[in-house]
Amino acid sequence: MTRIIILGAPGSGKGTQTQLLSQYFCIPFISAGEILRQEIKNNKQNKKYIKKTINKGKLVNNSFIIKLIKKKIQEKIYLNGFILDGFPRTIEQAEFLNKDIKIKFIIYLKIKLTNILNRIEGRLIHEPSGRTYHKILNPPKKKNLDDLTGEILTKRKDDNKKIISTRIKEYEIFTKPLIQWFKRETLTNSIKYFEINSNNSIQKIHQDIIKKLNINLKN
Ligand code: AP5
Ligand code: MG
């Protein structure tokens, strides 16, 4: 059973690489950010809290996201494995996962701050599916339109300079410590941890990840 976590700063390419890996290995994926954005659309009760928190660039409450992820991973399609994009983001979230779910691989996408800002600045999304593009670095086939549906692409509300600086701060405070936490876990656990240079092109990163996973899936 292959369970993979994709870890990295905002804009490091988690969503992009998750989608490519999911297609390559035919493993379904779960994106924490997407779950929350769907909740804004579909859950009247939680809408206000999630929207307010995301648009400030802050992390939502641990117990809140843990509850949503717990429910999601119990769905049938994830029984044989999954790729997790954007979860865990705090030690408390990692401890929840570690309790009864065996994770096989952690992929940490390491990126420079200047690249984060460029990527966030030009990102376009297809809201219904979460597909991601970049105006210059990863453009859609037709300007401003989703490749698969032809529907219009939009910008994420939290992709502006002010909010991104808070998102990066939240990452530094709460998520970065997870790197050491997971490295420690590899000593006593069967988890494998890989660091990937995410300053490269999308295809190069994808190939680097596949190489690491293929070698380790054979062993
Ligand atoms: P989330 O949606 O997960 O946002 P994030 O972590 O800030 O990450 P992003 O989605 O911005 O970036 P990414 O790494 O996926 O990069 P992408 O592939 O899109 O979460 C949103 C919010 O929800 C959080 O701020 C928080 O409030 C809340 N939340 C979510 N999970 C939570 C949790 N576990 N706990 C608490 N709160 C939570 O790429 C970015 C751009 O760059 C795109 O335009 C892409 O086309 C381009 N690009 C990608 N790779 C490359 C490359 N190699 N070269 C050039 N361009 C590239
Ligand atoms: Mg993302």
Side-chain angles (χ1 to χ4, degrees):
M1 183 171 316
T2 312
R3 294 192 183 118
I4 305 171
I5 287 174
I6 311 284
L7 188 68
S12 58
K14 298 184 296 295
T16 305
Q17 294 302 327
T18 295
Q19 295 208 355
L20 291 172
L21 272 186
S22 167
Q23 283 163 15
Y24 183 88
F25 285 112
C26 291
I27 304 173
F29 69 88
I30 297 169
S31 156
E34 273 315 307
I35 291 181
L36 290 168
R37 283 184 284 275
Q38 293 304 326
E39 282 284 299
I40 293 177
K41 273 192 205 149
N42 304 325
N43 191 326
K44 276 195 187 139
Q45 205 189 335
N46 295 336
K47 181 180 169 160
K48 211 170 156 193
Y49 165 68
I50 304 173
K51 213 172 166 178
K52 202 176 85 190
T53 312
I54 289 187
N55 288 341
K56 274 190 200 156
K58 297 273 189 186
L59 293 184
V60 303
N61 203 288
N62 279 322
S63 55
F64 186 83
I65 186 76
I66 286 173
K67 210 165 141 195
L68 290 172
I69 294 286
K70 197 172 175 182
K71 191 168 159 220
K72 190 82 183 168
I73 53 186
Q74 279 164 1
E75 287 177 16
K76 232 180 173 175
I77 61 160
Y78 304 112
L79 283 178
N80 290 321
F82 50 75
I83 306 172
L84 264 181
D85 156 18
F87 187 93
R89 265 181 226 230
T90 64
I91 305 269
E92 192 174 327
Q93 293 174 19
E95 280 169 346
F96 149 75
L97 264 190
N98 219 23
K99 247 190 316 186
D100 35 33
I101 295 163
K102 259 201 160 12
I103 298 296
K104 206 161 187 172
F105 301 111
I106 313 291
I107 295 167
Y108 167 50
L109 301 176
K110 196 174 181 184
I111 187 171
K112 286 183 200 152
L113 181 63
T114 49
N115 284 337
I116 294 182
L117 300 177
N118 280 341
R119 289 185 191 178
I120 296 284
E121 175 76 27
R123 172 165 48 196
L124 294 169
I125 59 157
H126 176 242
E127 250 183 70
S129 68
R131 269 188 292 282
T132 304
Y133 303 85
H134 188 283
K135 273 192 284 190
I136 299 158
L137 304 168
N138 181 26
K141 290 187 181 115
K142 286 189 186 156
K143 197 176 172 188
N144 269 335
L145 300 178
D146 178 48
D147 286 351
L148 295 189
T149 62
E151 288 165 347
I152 198 100
L153 302 176
T154 53
K155 272 189 86 72
R156 257 169 59 178
K157 282 226 168 67
D158 58 341
D159 277 353
N160 74 47
K161 273 200 181 117
K162 194 168 164 237
I163 301 174
I164 188 61
S165 76
T166 310
R167 282 162 63 195
I168 292 170
K169 270 186 212 145
E170 291 278 280
Y171 168 76
E172 295 283 336
I173 298 169
F174 296 107
T175 311
K176 226 172 171 186
L178 276 181
I179 297 167
Q180 287 313 320
W181 192 90
F182 278 125
K183 280 184 180 167
R184 267 202 308 276
E185 280 302 303
T186 62
L187 304 175
T188 53
N189 222 318
S190 57
I191 293 183
K192 288 207 158 61
Y193 169 92
F194 304 120
E195 211 162 276
I196 302 285
N197 181 356
S198 202
N199 298 294
N200 291 322
S201 71
I202 292 174
Q203 276 311 320
K204 166 82 173 108
I205 298 166
H206 178 54
Q207 292 306 324
D208 287 348
I209 297 175
I210 286 175
K211 246 185 255 165
K212 293 274 187 209
L213 294 184
N214 273 335
I215 294 168
N216 283 280
L217 282 169
K218 275 180 208 149
N219 294 335

